[in-house]
Amino acid sequence: MRVRLLLFGGSGQLGLELMNRARDLNFEMFSPVQSEVDVTEREQIVRLAEKSGPQVIINCAAYTAVDNAEEEKDLAFRVNCDGALNAALAAKACGARLIHISTDYVFDGSASVPIPEDAPTQPLSVYGSSKLAGERAVLDCLGDKALVVRTSSLHGQHGANFVHTMVKLFKERDQVQIVDDQFMSPTWAGWLAEVLLDLCRIECHGVLHACGAGVCSWYDFASAIYQDMNPLLRREVSLVRVRAADYVRPAKRPAYSAMSTAKLTALLARPALRWREGLASHLSEIRVLAEGAEHEPSSERPDVA
């Protein structure tokens, strides 16, 4: 059955993965660019939803600059809370379901085992608080026609993320310091996009955790990236463990935010992708792009400063 899907936030790393996959999975996808639609403009997106008539809306639009949010609280809440509510009102106006993307930063980090969906929330940052407010706005507005999907440490081919930052640093530095006392579940955007498209065809509501299976520290994550990319880097880099307390940033992060995917596994009748497997898929994309660049005719290469 062909599903009509309206996507907000299609220019981000998750949105682009969704668009790339929807074409092959019998979805009729409509995703306006940000210059054409702004989730903080209620009348605009409600009118867009009524005109396009989707069966499902996915809201990936978000303010994600965690540290900047401490100084830009109003903007963070305008996008992550008011924008989420506007997406819900757009869904209500056209009778669609809404899948809204949220984050592991709604938790305070006091857990020691993967966190289930019904665990208490207590954000430590403005970003986390704005995302939690968005969750509540969506669920209050739409009830059983809303699904909040929390994810964690997203990385993929498009845009800025930890994987791309590490690969860049490994090329530039002989030593890189990585936090080793904060734990999470890295999530490959390509896998999450496939999960979200599957969820479009399943009647489910409430809150659902969708992240890479397994737990690691940021140091573990960086070590895995370095290990897998070392043949391409062709240089030695020393990775140094540091404590989060020694790496001061404006926004406080949870010490532990790995989430349980047991509910997702039961719903889809398959386990969540292990975080190392997701990383391998992402790094494979990076290697393909790098190898392709090496084999391009030199006359076609852009100038590099």
Side-chain angles (χ1 to χ4, degrees):
M1 180 184 70
R2 193 166 181 80
V3 177
R4 295 191 307 280
L5 176 61
L6 173 59
L7 173 64
F8 296 131
S11 61
Q13 63 177 338
L14 179 57
L16 289 169
E17 296 286 359
L18 280 163
M19 289 196 290
N20 288 341
R21 285 161 172 76
R23 300 187 188 103
D24 299 326
L25 295 174
N26 204 28
F27 282 85
E28 182 182 342
M29 169 79 81
F30 180 56
S31 180
V33 299
Q34 189 172 352
S35 61
E36 295 175 347
V37 64
D38 181 345
V39 292
T40 66
E41 296 293 333
R42 179 173 300 176
E43 291 184 5
Q44 184 183 52
I45 69 166
V46 168
R47 187 164 58 248
L48 177 65
E50 291 175 331
K51 181 178 179 180
S52 57
Q55 295 163 287
V56 183
I57 296 174
I58 298 180
N59 182 35
C60 298
Y63 179 105
T64 58
V66 177
D67 287 323
N68 291 349
E70 297 299 309
E71 294 294 330
E72 297 180 332
K73 181 176 180 179
D74 289 346
L75 177 58
F77 270 84
R78 190 159 67 248
V79 177
N80 293 341
C81 180
D82 298 345
L85 175 58
N86 291 343
L89 291 170
K92 178 176 283 190
C94 63
R97 293 172 54 220
L98 174 67
I99 298 177
H100 174 68
I101 310 304
S102 191
T103 175
D104 57 329
Y105 278 26
V106 299
F107 298 110
D108 66 3
S110 61
S112 57
V113 296
I115 305 167
E117 285 82 357
D118 59 357
T121 52
Q122 187 65 48
L124 301 176
S125 64
V126 169
Y127 167 71
S129 297
S130 69
K131 292 297 289 181
L132 180 60
E135 288 187 10
R136 290 171 173 169
V138 163
L139 294 170
D140 287 346
C141 177
L142 285 180
D144 62 5
K145 298 208 75 172
L147 176 66
V148 170
V149 177
R150 293 178 183 144
T151 193
S152 164
S153 311
L154 198 64
H155 62 91
Q157 181 179 352
H158 309 284
N161 55 65
F162 184 79
V163 174
H164 291 171
T165 297
M166 287 300 105
V167 171
K168 182 176 184 292
L169 292 178
F170 295 156
K171 293 177 180 178
E172 298 173 347
R173 301 183 185 180
D174 295 326
Q175 184 183 94
V176 180
Q177 295 183 336
I178 313 292
V179 171
D180 193 35
D181 58 354
Q182 290 177 340
F183 298 86
M184 42 73 209
S185 301
T187 308
W188 178 44
W191 169 81
L192 181 58
E194 293 170 3
V195 166
L196 293 174
L197 292 173
D198 284 343
L199 292 173
C200 288
R201 302 182 187 276
I202 298 174
E203 289 297 328
C204 52
H205 62 274
V207 178
L208 184 66
H209 290 171
C211 57
V215 183
C216 69
S217 71
W218 291 105
Y219 178 88
D220 297 331
F221 193 19
S223 296
I225 297 166
Y226 177 68
Q227 178 183 335
D228 288 357
M229 287 299 292
N230 199 32
L232 184 62
L233 296 169
R234 302 189 185 98
R235 65 192 306 269
E236 294 298 318
V237 181
S238 173
L239 273 61
V240 179
R241 303 172 190 266
V242 297
R243 299 179 306 164
D246 298 327
Y247 186 61
V248 180
R249 289 183 286 185
K252 188 175 182 180
R253 273 75 168 169
Y256 186 104
S257 61
M259 298 185 293
S260 170
T261 56
K263 184 176 176 180
L264 179 71
T265 295
L267 191 62
L268 297 182
R270 65 176 187 271
L273 186 71
R274 302 291 300 178
W275 72 264
R276 282 298 301 258
E277 295 176 43
L279 175 61
S281 294
H282 183 182
L283 294 180
S284 178
E285 294 174 339
I286 292 176
R287 283 191 291 269
V288 167
L289 290 173
E291 290 168 1
E294 288 181 358
H295 291 91
E296 287 179 356
S298 58
S299 61
E300 295 181 6
R301 291 182 181 174
D303 293 335
V304 178

